[in-house]
Amino acid sequence: MAREASPPNGEELATLHPTLEAQVTQNSNFFQVEATVTFRSRLDYTFPEGGTKAWLVVSGSFCIIWGTFGLVSSVGLFQSYWKTHQLLNYSNGDIGWIPAVNIFFNLFLGVQIGPLFDRYGPKWLILTGSVLYVVSLVLLGECTKYWHFMLAYGVLNGFSGALLTTTALSVIAHWFERKRGMASGIAFVGSSIGGITFPLILKPAFQHLTWAWAMRIVALICLALMVVGNICIRGRLPPRKNGGAIDLRCFLDARFSWATAGVACFEFVLFGALGLIPTYSLSQGFSSQTGFNIIAILNAGSALGRSFSGYVSDRVGRFNTMLLTLLWTLFVTLALWLPIGDNLVMFYVFAPLFGFGSGSIISMAPVCLGQLCRADEYGQYYGTSYSVVSFATMVCIPIGGELLPRIGATGFVAFFGGVLVVATVSFTMARWASLDYRWNWTAKI
C-alpha cells in the first residue's frame, strides 16, 4: 500500500539506497557509504518480506524455473543425442544454433515481456506461456528434420519460455525487497533441480524409449510444474500506466550498463559450458554416461550455490557477493578445468565446484539489476538487460562448437576463462560506479 507522506510537487528525496539503509542503521561506524538520490515512488511501497502468500509465489516461481531453465540446463544432452540420431549429418556448430536460438528468445523477448508484466501483471502471461511451452515439447517429440527442431524447440519453446521465466522472476520483486536475494536464490534453485532430474530421467528414456516418448514424459512433468506455478504466482503492486513500452534510457546508468556487460560475458560461458560439456566429454575420451553424470553433478553444485548466494548477499551486499563468486568461478575454470586432459577424477571434482560458482552468479544477476531500479520497474530493467545478454547466449554454443575441434580442449577452456575475466572486470566497474567512483572495500553494495 502506498504511504501517505510524500514531498510536494513530486520532488526527489535524498535517501540511502534501500539495500544499504538497513545495514548503515545497524552499524554506521563500520560502513561508510554515500547517500544516493532515489525517486520517491521507490519508497511508496512496503514489502511483506514473507508470509504465506509471498512464499507461495516463490514456490510457484521455483516450479516455473524448474521446468524452463532446468531443461535449458540439460540442453547439452539434447545436442549430443541429436548429433548421433536425427541430425547425424550436421556439425556440432550447426546443431548448436538450435539451442542457441531457444536461449536467445528466452532472454531477448524479455525486453517487451518485462514491461508487459509491469503493466498487466503475471496471470495471463504465465497461463499463455504454460500452454505454449507444453505444446512445444509435445511437438518436439515429433521432430525429425533440422527445421522441425529449430521451429519447435528454438522458436516456440524459446518464446514460451520467455513468457514464463521473465514473469516468474519479476514477480518476486512485488513481495520482497530486503530479502529479495534469498527469495530469488530459492526460486533459482529450481533450475538446478531441473538440471539434476532431467538428465536422470532422459538417460534411461533415451536408452529404452523412442525420442517421441521421452519428450512426452518431459512434457508431462513440465505440465505438472506449470499447473503449480499458475496456482501459486500472484502479483501485488498496482500496474504501471506507462508500462508495456521499451525504454532503453536505463543504459544511461553506468551501473546498469556495466552490470549488463558482466552478465552477458558470464552467461556466454555458462550456457556454452552447459551446451557443450557432453560434447567436450566425448572429445576427451570419456563415455557418454560421463557427460550425463557431469551435467547432473554440476547442477547439484549449482543448487547449493544459488541458495548460498541469496542468503549471503542480503547480509554482505549483492554486488560484493557477485564479485566473490565470479572470482571463485574464474579460479575453478583456470585451475581445475583447464588442465583436466583425460583425468576423470579431476573432471568430477571440477563439476560441483564450477556449478557452485555459476549457480551463485546466475541467481545474483537479476537481484543486482533489481537493486538499480524501483520495484515497479523491475520487469522492464530485467527484460532490457537480458535482451542484450541474449545475443551473447545465442552465439556461445555455435562459437564453442566450432572452437572445440579447431583449437582443442585446452584452447576452448582458456577462451572461456578469458571471457570470465572480462565479466569480473565489468562487475568491478559496476560496483565502483555504484559508489560514485569512490572505492570502498567495506561498503555493503
Side-chain angles (χ1 to χ4, degrees), residues 88-419:
L88 182 62
N89 296 323
Y90 290 85
S91 69
N92 286 321
D94 291 335
I95 297 172
W97 281 107
I98 298 171
V101 168
N102 177 285
I103 297 169
F104 172 78
F105 277 116
N106 247 302
L107 301 180
F108 178 77
L109 292 178
V111 74
Q112 186 56 52
I113 295 169
L116 286 175
F117 164 80
D118 290 336
R119 183 165 187 173
Y120 299 110
K123 181 179 178 181
W124 293 108
L125 293 175
I126 288 286
L127 180 59
T128 303
S130 299
V131 172
L132 294 178
Y133 192 80
V134 174
V135 168
S136 73
L137 292 174
V138 175
L139 292 177
L140 181 60
E142 305 302 322
C143 295
T144 57
K145 299 181 179 179
Y146 186 92
W147 67 271
H148 295 170
F149 289 102
M150 181 62 77
L151 289 179
Y153 187 73
V155 178
L156 182 57
N157 189 270
F159 169 73
S160 56
L163 289 171
L164 292 166
T165 55
T166 302
T167 306
L169 293 174
S170 298
V171 76
I172 293 175
H174 280 207
W175 298 87
F176 295 89
E177 169 62 29
R178 183 172 52 85
K179 296 181 180 179
R180 188 182 298 168
M182 181 179 68
S184 297
I186 292 171
F188 257 114
V189 170
S191 175
S192 300
I193 299 301
I196 297 169
T197 55
F198 283 124
L200 296 177
I201 293 168
L202 288 172
K203 179 61 176 179
F206 287 161
Q207 290 176 339
H208 303 293
L209 300 173
T210 64
W211 165 257
W213 274 107
M215 289 301 98
R216 288 165 191 162
I217 291 172
V218 171
L220 184 61
I221 294 170
C222 290
L223 175 61
L225 294 170
M226 298 303 130
V227 168
V228 175
N230 277 268
I231 293 172
C232 293
I233 289 179
R234 292 290 182 270
R236 190 183 68 90
L237 299 182
R240 293 178 60 206
K241 294 181 180 179
N242 61 341
I246 298 173
D247 185 0
L248 299 180
R249 287 177 294 178
C250 50
F251 282 106
L252 296 175
D253 185 343
R255 303 170 303 164
F256 180 85
S257 297
W258 282 115
T260 297
V263 175
C265 289
F266 170 74
E267 298 221 5
F268 179 96
V269 174
L270 175 64
F271 285 108
L274 290 173
L276 292 169
I277 275 182
T279 305
Y280 168 89
S281 175
L282 293 174
S283 73
Q284 295 300 94
F286 303 125
S287 67
S288 60
Q289 181 63 51
T290 299
F292 277 84
N293 294 343
I294 290 297
I295 290 293
I297 294 171
L298 189 152
N299 280 290
S302 178
L304 181 60
R306 293 168 200 261
S307 303
F308 172 82
S309 63
Y311 177 82
V312 171
S313 68
D314 291 333
R315 287 156 178 78
V316 305
R318 288 134 187 198
F319 280 89
N320 294 341
T321 304
M322 175 66 87
L323 279 174
L324 290 174
T325 50
L326 273 168
L327 290 171
W328 168 270
T329 306
L330 179 61
F331 171 79
V332 170
T333 299
L334 298 180
L336 296 180
W337 194 6
L338 189 64
I340 278 177
D342 58 357
N343 190 327
L344 183 60
V345 174
M346 186 177 290
F347 201 16
Y348 276 103
V349 171
F350 151 80
L353 298 179
F354 182 85
F356 178 86
S358 62
S360 299
I361 295 167
I362 201 169
S363 67
M364 286 310 305
V367 183
C368 288
L369 294 171
Q371 182 167 313
L372 306 178
C373 64
R374 301 195 302 262
D376 60 341
E377 293 177 327
Y378 181 71
Q380 187 172 67
Y381 267 62
Y382 173 85
T384 303
S385 175
Y386 274 81
S387 69
V388 174
V389 173
S390 64
F391 286 97
T393 60
M394 181 175 65
V395 299
C396 64
I397 298 177
I399 289 177
E402 292 296 331
L403 285 178
L404 184 57
R406 291 175 184 269
I407 64 176
T410 302
F412 169 79
V413 177
F415 173 73
F416 276 8
V419 177

